[in-house]
Amino acid sequence: MTDADQVRNSVVEEALGKLDLDTKARLLAGQDMWSLPAVPEIGLQSLVMSDGPIGVRGVRWTADDPSIALPSPTALAAAWDPALARRAGRLLAQEARRKGVHVLLAPTVNLHRSPLGGRHFECYSEDPYLTGVVGAGYVNGVQDGGVGTTVKHFVGNDAETERFTADSVIAPRPLRELYLAPFEAIVANAHPWGIMTAYNQVNGTTMTEHRYLVNEVLRGEWGFDGFNVSDWMAARSTTGDIEGGLDVAMPGPQTVYGPALAEAVRAGEVPESAVDEAVRNVLRLAARVGILEGAPAVVTEAPAPVDGQALARELAARGFVLVRNEDGALPLAAAGRTVALIGAAARDARVLGGGSATVFPERIVSPLDGLTAALPDGALTYSVGADPSDELAPADKGFELRAVCRDASGAVLGEGSLPTGQVQWIGNDLPAGATYETMASIEVTGTFLPRESGEHAFGTRGLGAFTLAVGGRTLWEGVQEMGNEADPFEAFFGAPSERARIDLTEGEPVEVSLTFHVPDMTALPLKAIMFSLLHLGPRRDAEELIAEAVAAARAADTAVVVVATTDRVESEGFDRKDLNLPGSQDDLVRAVAAANPNTVVVVNAGSPVELPWREDVAAVLLTWFPGQEGGAALADVLLGHAEPGGRLPTTWPARFADAPVTEVVPTEGRLEYREGLFIGYRAYEARSIAPAFPFGHGLGYTDWAYESLEVTATTARVRVTNTGTRPGREVVQVYLAPVADPMERPASWLAGFAGVEAGPGESVEAEIALPARAFEIWDEEARGWQRIGGTYEVRASHSHGDTRLTATLDLG
């Protein structure tokens, strides 16, 4: 413990001693959606939290205060570079400080147990070691900037279906060796200041009440000394939560803590010492971030400023994974380079996943934008080819919208801009001047500049009474009642509903208006308003669109087809049903590839999708959700100004039927992790299933020769040579494979890795630590870690499926 730690602890204890029971209980309950109350009498400012895996939104759902949008966590993990993750964290800390945020609700380190997990774009990997290393880099970077992190969702929150109530039934060994492992590694290597307990149960106990996993394992065994906050609305039991080690119940002001907690203490149901320990953890966090008077902040001088746009662009390229590149199709040849860019997502890029991680960047560079800027005039053509969605979506491209809040007399109370037609105000997240008590209506109003002539559909999403007008004419008035939606998010939003169609002309602006009549919400514990103005442009015949794309492809040197998922496929709140690309995108790729053998497919998806045409195209580049600078990074990579630096952080199946683990829907409330230790590449190897692309796979723009491997019980040294014509970066991966294994274990697993860089003809040595844990299993009977001796084959590999060198290690 440092001198500063001792001072902070002393100030915390002194402050704690000045608080009465009611103030202590109030401090453990959110005062609103995103913050804890200030306590001026002890010099405590209000602690502010914000979502932050890929950007810092702040406390309001608005584009008036834009945020840098970084690539998705799957993209960050694909870089296989904890130092890069640390740089990303420092940028996010910079963003947090700018927005007055003290704690980020990130990173998400749940595993890719099944490719159907709907929120996997927000997680890192199927592998616990890679997840822990990247997550530790992220946490270290954020906290370098004096901003706290909350590692989430602790634990077993690996699917979205029934996530509020599902019981994840996990045996002790996989629980320790897989699902707890990233959390343990991050606690050990990054000392996070917070953790978030999940909605779900684990082995019959709700995580916010899980005394064993929180108090005994997290705090006792691992020594975690940060604060434990509930996922939003996860706390359900005053006594169960405080006894289970939950410090803060969010959001407020009405939670199971506050007055209810003080009353439980007075009734003798909860010892006040348990409340004191929770308050101590909150005050320690406040001291660390510098909002407790008299306590020195951990970081008194912020790191050097980071150029957010430049780093977002670098991160995107470093995370792009080139999984196929026949005959050097990429980078594109400089001479005679004409490109037919094809795909709806090339124009309207999907740069981030749906749900609570959403932020609103100041700008988005689409693939069309990026390639237009990078290529000479006349070298690029664009065609839609196929639209991945035929569903109405929140009004976006071509719309300029504001939300105007009025009282019952029609007087304006407040107004604010909208990034899309979606209103999502929770708690105090309202335009200045507006309150839930005084608002009678909210009008989403503005102009729409159509990009195509034809029949445009307009609709609504949300529950309640609406009036929709386009061009000054009322097209629909009515009330949307609650349907039979099973998912809580879907029930609150309501299903998308088409309300009217109207013919509009390209380039001719038209006024649009959707008025929502605000219901009485005085009885609601958490006040929120969620509704959307929806739009869908003219639908053209799919075969006609593909024919246009084929003609463009024939006329170009190279066809670049961008395919994508939608927020109805990958989002928080629900799991996927399959791994298909939506719409006619597969048909589009096949047709274009038949017309132009030099077809490059860019896959804009946060997690695996089926690529049935992968062997029929020249190159396949996975760009994940690439963040706001994704189109610029794509141009860099396609044109050879940057190398695609990514390696797969999760196995990419050839088809959904091959995926070893597909069950994400609980049966009678229980989600059985029957596969035990065998998820991801471990399961593919155990079942002798060949994936489309193995874990760790990725091609650069140069070649590497693996020349020597030396191993000890703690280290592997691998010498590699760049045998190509360009400088590049290689991720040297080391796997352990036990020989004549006396235990039930996977056939091999990742033990360590290192990134190395070299110019053409240069050799470099990677020194890779082999952690002791790589040789251990969790002994269920002894309830502890057991080192397994014997003989191991140590594999130096380009990917899990591409071993280059082996050596034998005998541990005795």
Side-chain angles (χ1 to χ4, degrees):
M1 182 179 292
T2 66
D3 291 343
D5 288 330
Q6 291 177 338
V7 173
R8 277 189 290 271
N9 287 346
S10 296
V11 173
V12 165
E13 292 303 321
E14 183 179 354
L16 178 60
K18 295 177 180 178
L19 299 178
D20 61 30
L21 175 60
D22 291 306
T23 304
K24 289 187 287 191
R26 179 167 57 91
L27 186 56
L28 303 181
Q31 68 174 350
D32 53 29
M33 188 68 183
W34 300 112
S35 68
L36 300 183
V39 184
E41 55 267 34
I42 60 169
L44 176 66
Q45 300 172 41
S46 175
L47 181 86
V48 179
M49 296 169 267
S50 171
D51 283 309
I54 55 95
V56 184
R57 186 170 61 245
V59 298
R60 295 187 57 223
W61 187 271
T62 176
D64 292 338
D65 183 13
S67 308
I68 293 288
L70 298 181
S72 63
T74 43
L76 187 60
W80 287 60
D81 188 345
L84 190 66
R86 190 164 192 159
R87 291 172 58 203
R90 286 183 173 178
L91 170 60
L92 294 177
Q94 175 179 293
E95 286 278 280
R97 292 193 306 271
R98 179 175 68 81
K99 294 191 173 210
V101 169
H102 305 114
V103 178
L104 291 188
L105 304 173
T108 305
V109 300
N110 301 108
L111 297 185
H112 296 174
R113 172 179 169 263
S114 164
L116 294 182
R119 203 174 179 179
H120 280 351
F121 60 86
E122 195 180 314
C123 310
Y124 291 130
S125 171
E126 69 189 21
D127 183 75
Y129 177 79
L130 178 60
T131 298
V133 169
V134 175
Y138 175 101
V139 168
N140 278 319
V142 174
Q143 294 182 177
D144 284 346
V147 175
T149 56
T150 51
V151 188
K152 63 183 188 182
H153 307 87
F154 190 73
V155 62
N157 187 185
D158 310 296
E160 293 294 280
T161 306
E162 299 179 26
R163 63 178 177 153
F164 291 91
T165 56
D167 182 9
S168 299
V169 182
I170 314 173
R173 269 195 70 191
L175 181 60
R176 289 282 188 157
E177 295 181 25
L178 296 179
Y179 303 100
L180 288 172
F183 293 94
E184 182 182 11
I186 293 169
V187 169
N189 299 316
H191 195 60
W193 299 343
I195 201 154
M196 180 189 290
T197 40
Y199 293 119
N200 55 282
Q201 304 174 55
V202 170
N203 297 332
T205 302
T206 300
M207 276 310 306
T208 56
E209 305 171 37
H210 215 303
R211 274 186 279 187
Y212 170 65
L213 289 179
V214 172
N215 289 339
E216 295 184 34
V217 176
L218 175 64
R219 294 197 185 278
E221 291 182 27
W222 302 349
F224 173 72
D225 67 352
F227 94 130
N228 172 16
V229 62
S230 72
D231 204 342
W232 266 227
M233 297 185 290
R236 299 156 204 164
S237 166
T238 301
T239 57
D241 286 330
I242 195 70
E243 290 174 356
L246 182 71
D247 298 325
V248 173
M250 289 296 290
Q254 296 185 41
T255 79
V256 296
Y257 283 175
L261 180 57
E263 180 56 36
V265 172
R266 292 190 175 101
E269 298 167 359
V270 172
E272 189 166 356
S273 59
V275 176
D276 288 345
E277 188 58 34
V279 172
R280 186 175 287 114
N281 293 330
V282 172
L283 294 177
R284 187 183 299 116
L285 173 63
R288 285 169 167 163
V289 300
I291 60 171
L292 180 60
E293 189 176 311
V298 171
V299 176
T300 55
E301 186 173 340
V306 180
D307 183 330
Q309 287 187 1
L311 182 57
R313 185 170 181 168
E314 179 186 352
L315 285 168
R318 288 287 307 278
F320 289 175
V321 183
L322 183 60
V323 293
R324 179 177 172 84
N325 194 26
E326 289 301 292
D327 300 322
L330 293 179
L332 300 180
R337 188 160 51 198
T338 59
V339 175
L341 182 62
I342 298 164
R347 180 180 63 182
D348 301 331
R350 188 170 185 207
V351 301
L352 45 80
S356 62
T358 300
V359 296
F360 306 108
E362 189 172 28
R363 71 173 200 166
I364 290 175
V365 183
S366 70
L368 179 57
D369 297 330
L371 285 167
T372 298
L375 290 171
D377 290 346
L380 182 71
T381 62
Y382 171 72
S383 51
V384 173
D387 197 316
S389 176
D390 58 1
E391 288 190 332
L392 288 96
D396 185 6
K397 304 299 180 184
F399 288 85
E400 293 286 340
L401 301 171
R402 297 187 67 76
V404 181
C405 305
R406 295 185 174 89
D407 65 15
S409 72
V412 174
L413 299 171
E415 59 181 286
S417 66
L418 289 176
T420 70
Q422 181 172 325
V423 173
Q424 184 164 311
W425 297 336
I426 305 175
N428 295 334
D429 185 11
L430 297 173
T435 67
Y436 291 101
E437 293 73 25
T438 55
M439 277 191 303
S441 69
I442 302 165
E443 183 186 14
V444 173
T445 181
T447 60
F448 172 49
L449 188 66
R451 296 191 297 191
E452 301 95 9
S453 297
E455 189 177 55
H456 290 251
F458 288 85
T460 63
R461 189 180 188 194
L463 305 178
F466 296 93
T467 303
L468 171 67
V470 178
R473 182 161 61 94
T474 297
L475 299 181
W476 179 76
E477 280 187 279
V479 177
Q480 177 65 49
E481 304 286 356
M482 183 174 290
N484 59 353
E485 297 85 9
D487 181 83
F489 279 88
E490 186 81 355
F492 197 52
F493 276 110
S497 298
E498 182 180 313
R499 302 303 186 187
R501 296 190 178 196
I502 185 171
D503 285 323
L504 300 174
T505 304
E506 176 184 351
E508 292 187 7
V510 63
E511 294 181 358
V512 294
S513 169
L514 177 66
T515 301
F516 172 71
H517 304 281
V518 179
D520 181 3
M521 290 185 283
T522 47
L524 296 179
L526 177 64
K527 295 177 175 57
I529 292 176
M530 295 185 182
F531 70 92
S532 299
L533 168 65
L534 305 180
H535 169 259
L536 182 65
R539 297 292 88 189
R540 293 180 57 198
D541 179 73
E543 292 184 3
E544 181 182 332
L545 288 174
I546 290 175
E548 287 182 1
V550 166
R554 283 201 184 103
D557 296 323
T558 302
V560 175
V561 185
V562 182
V563 296
T565 59
T566 71
D567 60 7
R568 298 287 285 172
V569 175
E570 288 184 273
S571 176
E572 178 178 354
F574 54 86
D575 290 309
R576 299 160 73 186
K577 306 301 183 189
D578 54 45
L579 303 183
N580 298 332
L581 284 168
S584 303
Q585 295 181 100
D586 288 332
D587 293 336
L588 170 67
V589 173
R590 290 187 183 99
V592 170
N596 188 331
N598 197 25
T599 293
V600 176
V601 181
V602 175
V603 182
N604 181 194
S607 47
V609 292
E610 287 190 21
L611 310 175
W613 33 257
R614 62 189 179 280
E615 295 181 359
D616 302 326
V617 300
V620 179
L621 182 69
L622 312 181
T623 62
W624 314 103
F625 297 144
Q628 68 176 59
E629 304 298 317
L634 180 63
D636 291 342
V637 167
L638 293 181
L639 302 181
H641 305 316
E643 184 180 42
R647 305 293 185 266
L648 285 179
T650 199
T651 306
W652 210 274
R655 52 184 189 144
F656 172 59
D658 291 341
V661 181
T662 58
E663 187 179 13
V664 292
V665 177
T667 301
E668 297 182 351
R670 290 165 58 91
L671 184 58
E672 303 266 2
Y673 286 45
R674 294 185 180 90
E675 69 282 351
L677 299 170
F678 296 91
I679 66 170
Y681 64 87
R682 296 164 166 83
Y684 282 88
E685 189 170 24
R687 298 188 184 187
S688 299
I689 298 173
F693 305 110
F695 175 79
H697 173 65
L699 307 171
Y701 286 161
T702 190
D703 297 313
W704 297 87
Y706 281 59
E707 297 184 338
S708 66
L709 168 62
E710 299 175 0
V711 300
T712 70
T714 59
T715 307
R717 288 184 176 84
V718 186
R719 186 173 182 82
V720 296
T721 297
N722 181 347
T723 59
T725 59
R726 293 175 47 119
R729 181 176 186 271
E730 173 73 337
V731 178
V732 180
Q733 303 161 37
V734 173
Y735 296 86
L736 296 179
V739 177
D741 197 357
M743 310 300 299
E744 182 190 11
R745 285 188 289 181
S748 64
W749 57 88
L750 180 69
F753 66 89
V756 294
E757 297 180 1
E762 292 181 355
S763 299
V764 64
E765 185 174 87
E767 183 172 319
I768 301 167
L770 301 180
R773 182 58 56 79
F775 299 97
E776 296 175 342
I777 68 164
W778 180 258
D779 187 322
E780 295 185 355
E781 291 186 7
R783 294 169 66 94
W785 292 100
Q786 177 189 353
R787 186 172 176 86
I788 306 300
T791 303
Y792 290 82
E793 181 180 78
V794 182
R795 301 172 177 170
S797 304
H798 174 74
S799 73
H800 183 256
D802 185 0
T803 298
R804 301 291 179 89
L805 296 171
T806 62
T808 299
L809 176 63
D810 192 351
L811 293 185

